[in-house]
Amino acid sequence: MTTIETLSDVAPAAHAVDIRELPTPPYRGTTLPDIDYDAHPAYGGMLPKPTLSERLYALKIFVKTFAFVSLRRIVDYENMPLLSKEAGFSGLNFSTALRYVTMFARIRASRMIGTLTGARRPAMPANPALLNKIKADGIVCLTLAPEELDQIRNATNPGFAKLDERRANILPEKRKFDDNVYWCTRTADPAAFATVENVFKRYGIIEAASAYLGRPVGVKHVNGQINDQDLTFWKRVFPDTKLADPWGSYLHIDATYGMLKCAIYVHDIGPDGGPFCYIRGSQNARIGWFEGMVRRTNDFCGFSGRRPDARQKFMALPAFLRRKADFGGDLPDNSPDVARLREGHFAATSNYGNCVLFDGNGMHRGGMVNKGERRCLFILLAEI
Ligand SMILES: [Fe+2]
């Protein structure tokens, strides 16, 4: 364990922070795993060859979605205000589109002026050790004090209560991923934002995120998540086959860009409690612009799914477009990539901390609960 507390490491503004050393070595690969889908037993190994019309159809959907994903990237969607009901967005029509375009133009213009005048710049890291760790490993585990965790619990309990109520009305087998997430809003849950922001400022987390991302950053979202042993999204990966579930199931990179995320454990999480897991240092793997877009496009248009119809559509794409952001379930256990991934795979159980800051561009997974229930907060840090 390394306690960062020397004056040379910490500016007066940041509290001393307890950062645990990770037990795994960094990822030795330089790219994301390359998967041979023609040889994969659930893809080329069993599916019929796609017809010409299937190929054309898949390509049409891909191109349309690629345009959508490109647009999101160009407008820097993750770093713009949300089109939420809270912001008065009632659905896409001429008036809301006009409103969004006007807002977009106004924000872009003010950011540009800020950049030119030097007013819009990344924060100075109050805690350089934190910044250096996230740069090197893509993940940092911190330990918040018990009273800070109590404050966070108190501020987010109302949100978790609403989530409990919602989940109680849906049978476990019918619950979708989103049924287990409660998105706090600044109007309905101001205490959740204020408490998290206070704690983050105390440790220099917001400044470190800003310096890492190279832009001003704030707490964009706070959401509560409940996962339990009934939510088995990572099991039965290929439901129509007898193939055993692969080790890499649910390993993915995020479809989002330009943000850091933070998981706060509101109770202790052991190896069976669905800890957040990360391939140490994998955020530094080389993913070209086009490759990143292709991976996200397949996730957005549903071609990354593993039911037979989704796999059939995926296989109808030209080989160079067959890449996913959610690729882990397709990794055969005997591939050399898996050996490298296992080596760098780190499970952030509670003994490493209760506040896990990470870059979603690195390979990760979490919420795979074997026993009991996991209650966790996810905080998204982006330009707001
Ligand atoms: Fe993720």
Side-chain angles (χ1 to χ4, degrees), residues 245-296:
D245 285 338
W247 173 85
S249 182
Y250 193 47
L251 266 182
H252 66 279
I253 58 165
D254 284 344
T256 48
Y257 279 104
M259 55 166 54
L260 280 188
K261 296 184 180 177
C262 185
I264 295 181
Y265 298 165
V266 294
H267 60 88
D268 276 2
I269 295 176
D272 283 327
F276 180 78
C277 303
Y278 201 86
I279 311 295
R280 180 181 180 183
S282 62
Q283 84 290 354
N284 290 327
R286 203 177 53 249
I287 308 173
W289 183 89
F290 182 70
E291 179 191 335
M293 299 290 284
V294 167
R295 289 181 183 277
R296 287 161 175 89

Side-chain angles (χ1 to χ4, degrees), residues 54-72 289-290 293-294 296-303 313 316-318 320-321:
E54 283 174 330
R55 285 179 195 277
L56 291 174
Y57 177 76
L59 200 57
K60 187 178 90 180
I61 302 290
F62 183 93
V63 169
K64 267 189 183 171
T65 314
F66 190 89
F68 169 73
V69 172
S70 303
L71 191 65
R72 275 175 65 105
W289 183 89
F290 182 70
M293 299 290 284
V294 167
R296 287 161 175 89
T297 297
N298 279 315
D299 281 27
F300 268 101
C301 69
F303 289 1
K313 286 177 188 142
L317 291 173
F320 76 101
L321 297 180

Side-chain angles (χ1 to χ4, degrees), residues 23 50-51 60 66 69 87 94 99 114 139 160 162 170 173 179 192 237 245 247 251 258 265 268 323 328 340 358:
T51 62
K60 187 178 90 180
F66 190 89
V69 172
F94 180 73
R99 245 184 70 202
I139 179 170
F160 276 111
K162 285 180 206 163
I170 309 170
E173 63 273 18
D179 296 326
V237 173
D245 285 338
W247 173 85
L251 266 182
Y265 298 165
D268 276 2
R323 286 162 180 267
R340 279 193 287 273
F358 65 96

Side-chain angles (χ1 to χ4, degrees), residues 144-338:
L144 306 180
E147 58 274 19
E148 290 167 335
L149 212 52
D150 275 344
Q151 289 163 6
I152 290 173
R153 270 192 216 107
N154 289 338
T156 54
N157 268 345
F160 276 111
K162 285 180 206 163
L163 189 51
D164 281 329
E165 199 184 312
R166 186 204 299 163
R167 293 172 84 247
N169 291 319
I170 309 170
L171 290 171
E173 63 273 18
K174 300 263 180 209
R175 284 181 203 142
K176 303 265 184 322
F177 196 84
D178 283 350
D179 296 326
N180 299 304
V181 182
Y182 173 78
W183 292 83
C184 296
T185 61
R186 285 188 182 270
T187 43
D189 316 276
F193 280 87
T195 310
V196 165
E197 280 164 346
N198 263 337
V199 172
F200 278 13
K201 275 184 193 145
R202 202 169 298 154
Y203 290 99
I205 292 174
I206 292 183
E207 290 83 353
S210 171
Y212 183 81
L213 296 167
R215 60 199 304 169
V217 155
V219 172
K220 179 152 184 169
H221 296 299
V222 176
N223 67 55
Q225 283 190 23
I226 302 177
N227 293 43
D228 61 23
Q229 59 197 28
D230 293 324
L231 188 69
T232 53
F233 56 90
W234 76 98
K235 290 181 179 163
R236 305 277 346 262
V237 173
F238 300 108
D240 55 313
T241 73
K242 290 199 161 42
L243 292 171
D245 285 338
W247 173 85
S249 182
Y250 193 47
L251 266 182
H252 66 279
I253 58 165
D254 284 344
T256 48
Y257 279 104
M259 55 166 54
L260 280 188
K261 296 184 180 177
C262 185
I264 295 181
Y265 298 165
V266 294
H267 60 88
D268 276 2
I269 295 176
D272 283 327
F276 180 78
C277 303
Y278 201 86
I279 311 295
R280 180 181 180 183
S282 62
Q283 84 290 354
N284 290 327
R286 203 177 53 249
I287 308 173
W289 183 89
F290 182 70
E291 179 191 335
M293 299 290 284
V294 167
R295 289 181 183 277
R296 287 161 175 89
T297 297
N298 279 315
D299 281 27
F300 268 101
C301 69
F303 289 1
S304 292
R306 293 187 175 84
R307 293 189 172 278
D309 57 326
R311 295 189 337 252
Q312 182 72 28
K313 286 177 188 142
F314 183 74
M315 285 307 284
L317 291 173
F320 76 101
L321 297 180
R322 285 189 224 140
R323 286 162 180 267
K324 305 179 180 182
D326 176 16
F327 58 87
D330 297 337
L331 276 170
D333 280 353
N334 59 1
S335 94
D337 285 316
V338 169

